[in-house]
Amino acid sequence: KQEVTQIPAALSVPEGENLVLNCSFTDSAIYNLQWFRQDPGKGLTSLLLIQSSQREQTSGRLNASLDKSSGRSTLYIAASQPGDSATYLCAAISGAGSYQLTFGKGTKLSVIP
Amino acid sequence: DVKVTQSSRYLVKRTGEKVFLECVQDMDHENMFWYRQDPGLGLRLIYFSYDVKMKEKGDIPEGYSVSREKKERFSLILESASTNQTSMYLCASSSDGWGKEGTEAFFGQGTRLTVV
């Protein structure tokens, strides 16, 4: 059964820093890996989707990479801003015909002005 | 943009009440899902549906049922609400089975349910 881990659980950085959020998964036979952002009391907003055949995806200041062989994905945020403060979750889809996303428990990011 | 809309942001219900949580998506997606999210436990799948009138149990279906009479609408039903069902409920949809590359999940804004 797929397990997804995100370390650290919380991270605090000063505004302007570049930062990396980590996501690891146990089953390398994944189809997709998706990164989400969640603001307090809100739903999940999709940030980036990486297909298993891809190694990275970029959107604005965000870059997500995928290394299936090592069971890792990273989300890189450039020039962080206070508005980036949120919880970031990664989710893996694995298994033929699987309908289940397996989520990590998230990293709570605080960007200090 | 894909839109997944949950009917309520906040609900307060009494123990023993029958509770309906509604979710509507506007992108003609085949698959719809209900999750609950609790501190320390993360997101857990309750039920999902891959077609109209079809449903499958997720990891924690006990105490819940679902209904999908139309493609765009997926309802979560708490037959007799209990305090341990106090949680954030999240609805999601996707166009294809997630065994297919590139299939993306879209979530609603969440319903914070409190059972007193």
Side-chain angles (χ1 to χ4, degrees), chain A residues 31-47:
Chain A
Y31 287 89
N32 301 306
L33 190 130
Q34 195 167 354
W35 282 93
F36 297 89
R37 168 187 172 135
Q38 186 176 32
D39 294 293
K42 302 281 183 68
L44 277 64
T45 300
S46 179
L47 296 174

Side-chain angles (χ1 to χ4, degrees), chain A:
Chain A
K1 183 182 175 183
Q2 178 74 272
E3 292 182 7
V4 178
T5 304
Q6 292 184 252
I7 297 173
L11 180 65
S12 183
V13 300
E15 182 178 1
E17 264 201 16
N18 302 325
L19 61 102
V20 174
L21 304 180
N22 297 299
C23 172
S24 61
F25 46 91
T26 55
D27 182 358
S28 61
I30 67 170
Y31 287 89
N32 301 306
L33 190 130
Q34 195 167 354
W35 282 93
F36 297 89
R37 168 187 172 135
Q38 186 176 32
D39 294 293
K42 302 281 183 68
L44 277 64
T45 300
S46 179
L47 296 174
L48 289 165
L49 171 72
I50 312 175
Q51 299 178 31
S52 63
S53 57
Q54 299 171 327
R55 291 193 63 84
E56 65 178 70
Q57 283 285 337
T58 298
S59 175
R61 293 183 294 108
L62 305 180
N63 176 277
S65 67
L66 176 64
D67 184 343
K68 289 174 61 178
S69 62
S70 67
R72 291 188 62 200
S73 177
T74 60
L75 180 66
Y76 173 83
I77 302 177
S80 59
Q81 303 170 358
D84 295 329
S85 297
T87 298
Y88 291 81
L89 297 109
C90 67
I93 302 116
S94 55
S98 171
Y99 287 91
Q100 181 145 190
L101 274 173
T102 303
F103 283 87
K105 293 183 178 177
T107 295
K108 184 176 182 180
L109 173 66
S110 299
V111 180
I112 311 302

Side-chain angles (χ1 to χ4, degrees), chain B residues 19-45:
Chain B
V19 181
F20 293 85
L21 303 183
E22 307 284 346
C23 176
V24 176
Q25 49 93 4
D26 66 358
M27 282 301 291
D28 201 36
H29 281 175
E30 300 290 334
N31 309 304
M32 298 187 74
F33 308 80
W34 276 106
Y35 289 85
R36 66 178 281 177
Q37 184 179 30
D38 300 287
L41 297 176
L43 278 88
R44 294 178 291 168
L45 182 65

